[in-house]
Amino acid sequence: MHTETTFTNEVINLDLLPKYETIQLNRPHPDYWKIICINLLLFFGLLAILVGILLFFVDEMKPNAVWIIPSYLVLLCSFFFLFRVSFKKRGYAIRTHDVIYKSGIIAESTTIVPLNRIQHIELNEGLFSRMYNLGSLQLFTAGGQTGHIHISGIAIDEAKHIRDLLLNKLEQLETSITALNTNE
């Protein structure tokens, strides 16, 4: 038995759509800033050792120390400033039907992934993250690399809770889709 349906393609009033910009986003844990600082200090410490070795052992580099050292300090301060601003701009929200992640300084990026597009969820804890009981969630989607979300700086208990919540929601979606397919 086939019932005929009429195809319609109505215009959507954009003013009636929900505004994701008004959603209160969860920020990374404050201790995550400490992890960022540790990583930056390790990087710039190694860079300082390399620059110091070059300045000490390579005679041709010694006259350039008057601009290499100030450049290094400007670079160091710039990185700390940019990472701090970036840290303050990050946020995420878990909603009934999707996950939102916002980041970026100059080019602000907001990624909204519907739950039914999530294929895999990964919970990661790095060496320094474990020291502060933090973790990161990585959500892999069917949309390819651009749809993936990597949320860092979440308290590990909260990250586990979010992972379990999303896995339960995904299981419910899969169960309802399976039920619909068997009823057809």
Side-chain angles (χ1 to χ4, degrees), residues 11-48:
V11 175
I12 297 173
N13 182 349
L14 297 179
D15 294 329
L16 298 177
L17 291 175
K19 306 286 185 224
Y20 73 87
E21 298 92 344
T22 61
I23 294 169
Q24 182 67 35
L25 298 176
N26 299 307
R27 300 289 174 203
H29 193 279
D31 284 343
Y32 185 59
W33 173 243
K34 294 175 186 174
I35 294 169
I36 292 172
C37 288
I38 290 169
N39 287 326
L40 284 172
L41 287 173
L42 284 173
F43 173 76
F44 279 99
L46 292 173
L47 185 61

Side-chain angles (χ1 to χ4, degrees), residues 58-125:
V58 179
D59 290 332
E60 294 83 24
M61 295 291 288
K62 288 179 182 176
N64 296 324
V66 294
W67 65 266
I68 291 176
I69 294 171
S71 298
Y72 170 83
L73 294 173
V74 167
L75 190 66
L76 174 77
C77 293
S78 299
F79 266 73
F80 271 92
F81 174 75
L82 289 174
F83 273 84
R84 182 65 182 173
V85 172
S86 171
F87 173 76
K88 289 183 174 237
K89 292 251 184 186
R90 296 178 193 183
Y92 66 94
I94 312 297
R95 300 192 306 173
T96 308
H97 300 289
D98 57 29
V99 176
I100 299 174
Y101 182 68
K102 182 179 173 185
S103 65
I105 302 170
I106 297 168
E108 206 170 85
S109 170
T110 303
T111 305
I112 302 172
V113 175
L115 293 183
N116 62 357
R117 301 279 295 179
I118 297 173
Q119 292 186 335
H120 176 68
I121 301 171
E122 198 174 280
L123 176 63
N124 298 307
E125 294 178 76

Side-chain angles (χ1 to χ4, degrees), residues 104-174:
I105 302 170
I106 297 168
E108 206 170 85
S109 170
T110 303
T111 305
I112 302 172
V113 175
L115 293 183
N116 62 357
R117 301 279 295 179
I118 297 173
Q119 292 186 335
H120 176 68
I121 301 171
E122 198 174 280
L123 176 63
N124 298 307
E125 294 178 76
L127 174 66
F128 300 123
S129 296
R130 280 194 301 268
M131 290 170 49
Y132 291 100
N133 293 319
L134 299 177
S136 64
L137 281 174
Q138 194 162 0
L139 310 177
F140 297 91
T141 64
Q145 186 66 28
T146 58
H148 299 334
I149 295 179
H150 186 93
I151 307 170
S152 299
I154 306 173
I156 194 65
D157 293 335
E158 183 181 345
K160 288 177 180 177
H161 177 71
I162 292 170
R163 179 199 58 197
D164 294 343
L165 174 80
L166 290 175
L167 288 173
N168 286 336
K169 285 188 171 280
L170 292 174
E171 191 174 304
Q172 289 171 2
L173 279 171
E174 195 171 305

